[in-house]
Amino acid sequence: MSNNTLRYLSGADVVQALPMAEAVEGMKQAYAQLSTGKAQVPLRARVQTDGTTLVMPAAVPETGGLAVKIVSVFPSNAQRGIPTIHALVMALDAETGIPTAIMEGGTLTAIRTGAGSGAATDILARPDSRTVAIIGSGVQARTQLEAVCAVRDVAHVFVYSRTSASAEAFAAEMAGKAGVPDNITVAATADDAVREADIVCAATTSTTPVFSGDALKPGTHISGVGSFRPEMQELDLTTIKKSLVVVDSREAVLEEAGELIIPLNNGDIELSHIHAELGEIVAGSATGRTDNDQITFFKSVGVAVQDVVAATIVVKNASTNDLGTLLPL
């Protein structure tokens, strides 16, 4: 690409350029780069207004990735009929700092967040997992399900949302799509959804626990991606205490994950209850699941290294397939 042009990529372009299976493998690499200290990932800057706006820069020298994301999370947007999350990602040339692409970041965020859970599911969930519970029915919930179905042979999906119409719409849209089974059941309660599930994905903006840990059966894997502030507690103490806890970044979750911060501050768990970062398991310096009855929990608040690796994949595939629009700088 010429140094005086910038590739603009819409959300539709990002979907084409970031297939889920490639994104899942990319997230394994991203987490490993983070946990082995090969990535530069400052803690994200935060601006709090009616919602939360985050600035997330990172560099992954080993892959030549350099990017920054600006993302806003405004839960009240749901009442306006518009998405909760909006974002832009700018990719830069790692040698010169010249911007090479700017892309719609809400789509990238949803895919890379789903892919992160897909990576965790592939590493931590039982190989024979066949049933999935999705708590939430937004954009993130959709990519969570797509990612899980990319790494496990899923036969049955349960979905729960506070608004039954949203759950029904989710089921109608996702059934049979991108490896998702046709068999999707709208559950009456969140506990009903998780009770028979081998894999649970929580993707809500709830500040209070969305299901009871007592409803989990032995051997379940849980991914929690919804809460991202110290006061948000998407999963309850029972779930945390009975789980092998794996995180995307210790530093990030201890700043932002209420599910862990609150019980740590209350003395309900010790810091050692955080077993490992997922990247440590990928890199071979920590173990994952050790038996079929173990409950595993992956907590992700999202780290910028995910965006860099995802953006690198997008730029590569967009260039190869001539996606997007070239703009003069």
Side-chain angles (χ1 to χ4, degrees):
M1 184 187 299
S2 169
N3 287 344
N4 61 356
T5 60
L6 178 76
R7 190 181 296 272
Y8 168 73
L9 297 158
S10 68
D13 293 326
V14 171
V15 169
Q16 278 190 261
L18 191 58
M20 184 57 77
E22 191 172 357
V24 167
E25 291 308 308
M27 292 309 102
K28 292 179 185 178
Q29 180 186 56
Y31 290 133
Q33 293 289 308
L34 177 68
S35 294
T36 56
K38 296 177 181 176
Q40 294 184 47
V41 190
L43 277 177
R44 55 194 177 192
R46 175 190 303 269
V47 178
Q48 196 70 41
T49 54
D50 291 337
T52 304
T53 300
L54 306 166
V55 180
M56 303 171 62
V60 185
E62 197 163 288
T63 63
L66 176 63
V68 60
K69 180 172 77 172
I70 300 176
V71 57
S72 64
V73 185
F74 280 58
S76 59
N77 281 357
Q79 299 163 14
R80 303 181 177 101
I82 58 177
T84 298
I85 297 173
H86 290 88
L88 286 175
V89 176
M90 179 180 287
L92 303 99
D93 184 276
E95 292 183 5
T96 65
I98 295 172
T100 57
I102 189 164
M103 62 198 77
E104 194 280 310
T107 302
L108 182 141
T109 299
I111 295 172
R112 67 82 152 149
T113 303
S117 292
T121 299
D122 199 23
I123 291 164
L124 295 171
R126 296 189 336 269
D128 63 348
S129 297
R130 300 269 288 163
T131 304
V132 177
I134 304 292
I135 311 302
S137 58
V139 172
Q140 297 283 351
R142 285 162 165 77
T143 57
Q144 293 287 308
L145 178 56
E146 184 182 345
V148 168
C149 291
V151 300
R152 288 294 183 272
D153 184 15
V154 176
H156 195 170
V157 177
F158 293 89
V159 60
Y160 171 78
S161 180
R162 287 178 300 176
T163 307
S164 59
S166 298
E168 294 284 358
F170 176 98
E173 178 187 334
M174 295 302 295
K177 175 184 176 182
V180 177
D182 292 326
N183 195 3
I184 300 182
T185 300
V186 175
T189 68
D191 283 3
D192 287 342
V194 307
R195 196 164 279 120
E196 297 301 321
D198 301 312
I199 298 166
V200 176
C201 297
T204 76
T205 55
S206 177
T207 57
T208 56
V210 292
F211 63 83
S212 169
D214 291 328
L216 295 166
K217 68 178 183 179
T220 301
H221 170 70
I222 308 135
S223 291
V225 303
S227 59
F228 59 94
R229 296 199 306 267
E231 70 276 13
M232 296 177 76
Q233 203 171 6
E234 194 177 30
L235 303 183
D236 66 3
L237 179 61
T238 299
T239 298
I240 301 303
K241 291 184 78 169
K242 72 197 311 184
S243 297
L244 181 81
V245 177
V246 177
V247 300
D248 54 0
S249 160
R250 284 187 181 85
E251 184 180 23
V253 298
L254 293 175
E255 288 281 338
E256 300 179 346
E259 288 103 337
L260 299 174
I261 294 169
I262 291 169
L264 280 167
N265 288 343
N266 290 342
D268 294 316
I269 61 172
E270 300 291 331
L271 194 57
S272 59
H273 193 69
I274 299 176
H275 169 69
E277 292 182 346
L278 189 65
E280 292 170 341
I281 299 174
V282 175
S285 62
T287 58
R289 172 182 293 275
T290 54
D291 66 70
N292 282 338
D293 286 338
Q294 194 170 41
I295 293 175
T296 55
F297 169 47
F298 174 63
K299 177 57 194 173
S300 171
V301 293
V303 284
V305 67
Q306 294 176 263
D307 301 306
V308 173
V309 171
T312 302
I313 295 170
V314 169
V315 171
K316 178 199 71 169
N317 288 337
S319 178
T320 299
N321 297 302
D322 196 24
L323 299 174
T325 304
L326 292 181
L327 303 173
L329 274 174

